[in-house]
Amino acid sequence: MKAKLWSLVVVLCISLLGFSVGIKAEAAKKMTMPSTETKILSQDELETKKEEIAKQIKYFDENGDEIHPYTLEELKNMIKLTPDQPQEPTDTEDHPFKLAHKTYTSTNFHFAYNVYLGKGVYGDAFKDPKTILVTPKGTAKPFNINVKYDKNGAPGSQAQKVSLPGGWVGEMHMNFSVKKGKKYRIQFDNPKSGKTTIYIKETVLWYN
C-alpha cells in the first residue's frame, strides 16, 4: 500500500514539474516574441510609414507662410527609417554632395529650447546651405529646423523653417530652398519648449 502511495506521489511531482516547466517555457516564449512596435517592417509597411511621416513635414517661407517646394514622393525619398537602412552605417564621405560641397558634422547634442549648429551661442554662419542629414537618438520627437539669415555675426530673420514630426527611428535628409549667395545660421528648435528634451545623434550639413 505504501509503495503504491509513494508511486502516486512521485507521478504527481513529475506531472507538476512538467506543468511548471511548460508554463515557464511559454512565458519565456512570449517575452522573446517581438512586439508590434519593434517588429521588422515589410517594404510595404515602410513605404506606408514614410508616407505618413512625409505628410506631416511642413515647410515655411520667410514670411511664415506654408510652402510646398517638394512633392510627397520627394519628401518620402528624404526619409530613411532604421529597418530600411543597410547593416553597415552609411558613410557620408561617399555621398555625392560631399564631392561638390563643404560639410559640417555635429554629433551627440540635445536641447530643451533651441540650439544653433556650430560653435558658440549663435553657431556658425554657412553660405548656401543645401541639405542637412539629421539622425535623432532613439525615437524622434517633433522638432523644427529654422534657417535664419546671418546678420552682422548673429541670427537675423527667418529665411525658411522645416517642421518635422516625431514617432520614427532613422534619419532624414532634408533639402533647403533658400536664396543663393547668402550666409545663414541653422537653429534646432523645440516646439514643446522646455517641456521635453530633444536628443540628436548626428547632424551633417552640406553647404558651399
Side-chain angles (χ1 to χ4, degrees), residues 109-120:
F109 65 92
H110 62 274
F111 56 99
Y113 294 92
N114 61 68
V115 65
Y116 284 88
L117 194 64
K119 300 176 182 178

Side-chain angles (χ1 to χ4, degrees), residues 159-199:
Q160 191 170 78
K161 172 182 173 181
V162 186
S163 178
L164 302 176
W168 51 276
V169 179
E171 62 186 33
M172 284 201 186
H173 213 140
M174 306 308 301
N175 295 331
F176 297 128
S177 54
V178 293
K179 296 176 181 177
K180 293 182 179 181
K182 296 183 178 295
K183 289 186 177 181
Y184 300 87
R185 293 179 185 267
I186 311 298
Q187 181 195 54
F188 285 77
D189 174 62
N190 185 355
K192 296 183 178 180
S193 199
K195 295 181 180 180
T196 185
T197 301
I198 311 295
Y199 292 89

Side-chain angles (χ1 to χ4, degrees), residues 29-59:
K29 182 180 179 182
K30 288 182 179 179
M31 289 177 67
T32 55
M33 287 179 65
S35 67
T36 54
E37 294 182 353
T38 58
K39 71 174 184 178
I40 297 177
L41 300 177
S42 68
Q43 191 59 40
D44 288 343
E45 289 173 323
L46 282 171
E47 290 303 311
T48 300
K49 182 66 175 177
K50 284 183 181 181
E51 184 166 333
E52 176 187 324
I53 296 168
K55 287 179 177 178
Q56 299 178 68
I57 298 174
K58 305 293 183 184
Y59 274 81

Side-chain angles (χ1 to χ4, degrees), residues 58-94:
K58 305 293 183 184
Y59 274 81
F60 301 89
D61 64 13
E62 58 186 17
N63 299 314
D65 297 324
E66 185 175 352
I67 57 176
H68 304 278
Y70 306 104
T71 65
L72 181 63
E73 196 62 31
E74 287 173 329
L75 290 174
K76 284 172 61 178
N77 290 335
M78 296 179 194
I79 304 167
K80 208 163 189 71
L81 301 179
T82 294
D84 195 30
Q85 292 179 343
Q87 294 298 318
E88 296 297 328
T90 53
D91 186 0
T92 55
E93 294 292 331
D94 295 331

